[in-house]
Amino acid sequence: IDELVCDKVIIDDAKGAQKAVNHLVAKGCAKMAILSTVDYISVGKLRTTGYLRALRAHDIPEREEFILKIEDIEHCEEEIAVFLASNEFDAIFAVNELFAVTAAKILYARGKSIPNDVSLIGFTDGILSKHFIPSLTTISQHGEEMGERAAKLLIDKLEGDPLATEEYKTVIIDTSLVERQSTKK
């Protein structure tokens, strides 16, 4: 399938994931799991790539049993529960808020404390991250900025020189780590 040719406003998913894992390493974590999506979903593949890059950068061995790739989002709770029961982790990086909150629910049910037993980082910085207890350390995609930049690209295209409208732009928004209560101090 050809990639869609149009203006785009995106984030660097791999770099955002690296920030998350680097933060966990800085907090003393060494047994970090990732809850991701299957590779044909590009966001999951890119965020898994960033996770693996960060491990390599810190000389932490990659362990296949620490990677869960979820295909059936609707039934992720069962998969995450089995995964968490099979290994002991000191940290979990989840590629989205749903996986992070689901992992927290399962950890609590097993008597684990976040962040004392397991540090947890999600990705998105949506409403769940802010209001979950404990509040979720996350990678922010800066959705409002993305929307503003996309609107500007569209307005420029609509108001611009007809010849210039044939040029397509990709704007990359940097992510940032929002530290909250789900990672060790």
Side-chain angles (χ1 to χ4, degrees):
I1 297 176
D2 290 333
E3 188 174 331
L4 187 61
V5 180
C6 61
D7 290 328
K8 298 175 192 157
V9 179
I10 61 173
I11 61 163
D12 187 333
D13 287 289
K15 188 175 175 183
Q18 282 179 270
K19 284 180 186 177
V21 175
N22 288 341
H23 178 73
L24 293 169
V25 171
K27 298 295 181 180
C29 300
K31 294 175 66 180
M32 294 164 284
I34 182 172
L35 305 178
S36 190
T37 59
V38 289
D39 283 345
Y40 65 78
I41 299 172
S42 66
V43 170
K45 183 175 185 175
L46 291 168
R47 293 176 188 175
T48 300
T49 297
Y51 160 85
L52 293 170
R53 273 190 207 147
L55 292 180
R56 288 181 205 125
H58 294 285
D59 294 322
I60 297 172
E62 298 171 26
R63 297 177 57 180
E64 197 64 37
E65 65 271 20
F66 283 17
I67 300 171
L68 176 62
K69 294 185 180 183
I70 299 167
E71 183 166 18
D72 186 357
I73 305 296
E74 295 293 317
H75 298 97
C76 69
E77 188 167 349
E78 294 86 5
E79 284 187 70
I80 293 171
V82 169
F83 177 73
L84 294 180
S86 67
N87 284 290
E88 285 293 319
F89 308 108
D90 59 10
I92 298 170
F93 167 56
V95 301
N96 59 41
E97 284 184 329
L98 173 64
F99 294 171
V101 170
T102 301
K105 176 182 169 186
I106 293 164
L107 290 168
Y108 281 134
R110 295 197 174 141
K112 298 286 186 183
S113 169
I114 298 169
N116 296 332
D117 296 323
V118 181
S119 287
L120 180 63
I121 294 184
F123 207 111
T124 306
D125 197 29
I127 195 162
L128 291 176
S129 297
K130 295 173 184 112
H131 298 286
F132 193 74
I133 298 173
S135 59
L136 187 62
T137 298
T138 187
I139 297 296
S140 175
Q141 301 178 98
H142 303 291
E144 191 172 306
E145 182 183 351
M146 288 180 80
E148 289 171 3
R149 298 290 290 273
K152 183 174 179 351
L153 285 173
L154 179 60
I155 290 166
D156 289 349
K157 185 90 49 200
L158 293 171
E159 292 178 348
D161 175 1
L163 296 175
T165 61
E166 301 211 6
E167 293 179 25
Y168 298 106
K169 297 178 184 171
T170 298
V171 176
I172 301 173
I173 304 291
D174 200 16
T175 59
S176 60
L177 181 91
V178 179
E179 188 172 2
R180 294 200 180 96
Q181 299 168 331
S182 67
T183 52
K184 295 172 185 159
K185 297 290 176 202

